[in-house]
Amino acid sequence: MRTLLGTEDLDRSSLDGLLDDAEAFLEVLDRPIPKVPALRGRTVATMFFEPSTRTRLSFERAAKALSADTLSFSPGTSSLSKGESLKDTVQTIAAMGADLMVVRHRAVGAPARVAEWTGLPVVNGGDGAHQHPTQALLDALTIRRAKGALDGLRIAIVGDIAHSRVARSDVFAFATLGADVVLVAPRTLLPVDLTGWPCEVSTDLDAVLSDLDVVYLLRVQTERGGASVFPSLREYLRRFGLTRDRFARLRPDAVVLHPGPMNRGVEIEAAVADDPRALVLDQVTNGVAARMAVLFHLLGGADA
Ligand code: CP
């Protein structure tokens, strides 16, 4: 594996390998000194051209736990404000000695272009509404730890699918790992073309609720126009939100995931978000280990 740009091309054995390594790294993170020397001497650059809390910080935590150095690029205080191009920016950071770049950008395909321009291994930290592969890995890890395996599980991904890079990455990863995936959204929040997506589609959350093992809620992306198709956010909650009433109708062993940041009171009621069966903070913890596994694979790990 040279880059990680999406999940469509990851086969079952690659996914299982990354998840197995992530499990091992969770054990490392639980040690009194949560660090191994696997990537000593290597430098990971986090290049986030869009806001992030979880992805950026967990990549930095992951790199440090593997003993790599980090370079953290912030667009607001950079020479982008003087008109420097994306290409010149990433080539500049590469020339400082970065060995790998994690790239988040609003433009679909930007991480792939960065890989071409720099010749470095690149991890897609989220490009537009296209892909967010490490989110899918940490989600799969969280479900696997809660349920033992994804094989045969019924997973609903609910909400603003049209604007979601998480939905696309999750659908392909979950299906490859053997889950039965259903997208649930109003027609207006579904992508125009779902050709090739290995999933079913429903516009009625209440109709699918009782069969689910996992409910995966997506954030309504107000900044990308996700709220504009509803008269109000209250109306969204009524039709597609995981309210306390809907939560009570789930199977008792069903679990709830959300990639964060959550809009409490929109896609999820606060009481559900705080229930022990909502695994949102487990997802965050597992994200560090999943990203350690990705960095370890791309930078050669013990062979480095
Ligand atoms: N889930 C996710 O990508 O969160 P951030 O935007 O905070 O990185």
Side-chain angles (χ1 to χ4, degrees):
M1 195 164 78
R2 172 81 185 149
T3 56
L4 180 61
L5 299 176
T7 57
E8 276 134 307
D9 298 331
L10 288 176
D11 60 18
R12 174 86 198 226
S13 92
S14 303
L15 282 170
D16 282 337
L18 286 165
L19 295 177
D20 291 344
D21 284 351
E23 293 271 5
F25 286 129
L26 276 173
E27 183 274 316
V28 169
L29 291 168
D30 215 25
R31 293 179 190 167
I33 299 175
K35 213 171 172 89
V36 288
L39 298 184
R40 196 161 48 198
R42 299 303 189 104
T43 299
V44 172
T46 52
M47 310 288 296
F48 280 61
F49 298 86
E50 277 194 328
S52 169
T53 296
R54 281 149 282 269
T55 311
R56 177 189 191 127
L57 289 175
S58 79
F59 263 113
E60 291 178 4
R61 171 102 170 88
K64 287 170 182 163
L66 292 166
S67 302
D69 295 315
T70 55
L71 283 170
S72 183
F73 170 82
S74 298
T77 54
S78 77
S79 289
L80 277 183
S81 58
K82 300 176 202 163
E84 190 164 32
S85 68
L86 175 63
K87 182 177 180 179
D88 285 341
T89 299
V90 296
Q91 288 184 336
T92 297
I93 306 295
M96 289 177 195
D99 294 301
L100 177 148
M101 286 188 178
V102 183
V103 178
R104 171 172 289 188
H105 200 284
R106 68 176 181 283
V108 171
R113 296 290 282 155
V114 171
E116 287 166 24
W117 290 329
T118 62
L120 292 176
V122 168
V123 182
N124 182 356
D127 61 333
H130 181 222
Q131 285 271 356
H132 192 352
T134 59
Q135 180 70 47
L137 285 174
L138 74 89
D139 292 335
L141 180 62
T142 303
I143 296 169
R144 196 172 91 159
R145 287 175 67 77
K147 296 286 181 187
L150 275 75
D151 297 281
L153 295 183
R154 177 91 167 146
I155 303 177
I157 300 177
V158 183
D160 188 357
I161 315 283
H163 299 102
S164 177
R165 50 197 175 211
V166 174
R168 182 190 293 263
S169 290
D170 274 356
V171 164
F172 284 90
F174 294 171
T176 301
L177 290 166
D180 169 19
V181 184
V182 56
L183 300 179
V184 184
R187 293 247 168 255
T188 44
L189 286 180
L190 284 168
V192 176
D193 185 8
L194 284 165
T195 308
W197 287 48
C199 59
E200 301 164 36
V201 176
S202 169
T203 55
D204 187 349
L205 179 56
D206 292 307
V208 303
L209 213 53
S210 59
D211 288 339
L212 300 176
D213 299 291
V214 178
V215 187
Y216 194 103
L217 301 167
L218 294 170
R219 183 172 69 87
V220 176
Q221 301 202 28
T222 47
E223 77 279 20
R224 298 188 211 268
S228 60
V229 301
F230 268 83
S232 69
L233 293 175
R234 180 174 290 277
E235 175 66 5
Y236 181 90
L237 176 70
R238 194 181 70 73
R239 292 272 316 280
F240 289 95
L242 193 58
T243 57
R244 276 173 294 184
D245 173 60
R246 288 197 176 100
F247 185 67
R249 283 188 273 139
L250 289 171
R251 289 167 41 165
D253 60 348
V255 294
V256 177
L257 278 76
H258 190 301
M262 289 185 282
N263 294 313
R264 290 170 181 254
V266 181
E267 63 266 3
I268 187 166
E269 272 195 338
V272 179
D274 295 329
D275 189 278
R277 286 198 282 142
L279 304 181
V280 180
L281 294 178
D282 299 81
Q283 289 172 265
V284 175
T285 303
N286 293 336
V288 179
R291 287 163 178 138
M292 287 173 77
V294 169
L295 296 178
F296 184 75
H297 275 250
L298 289 177
L299 284 175
D303 299 327

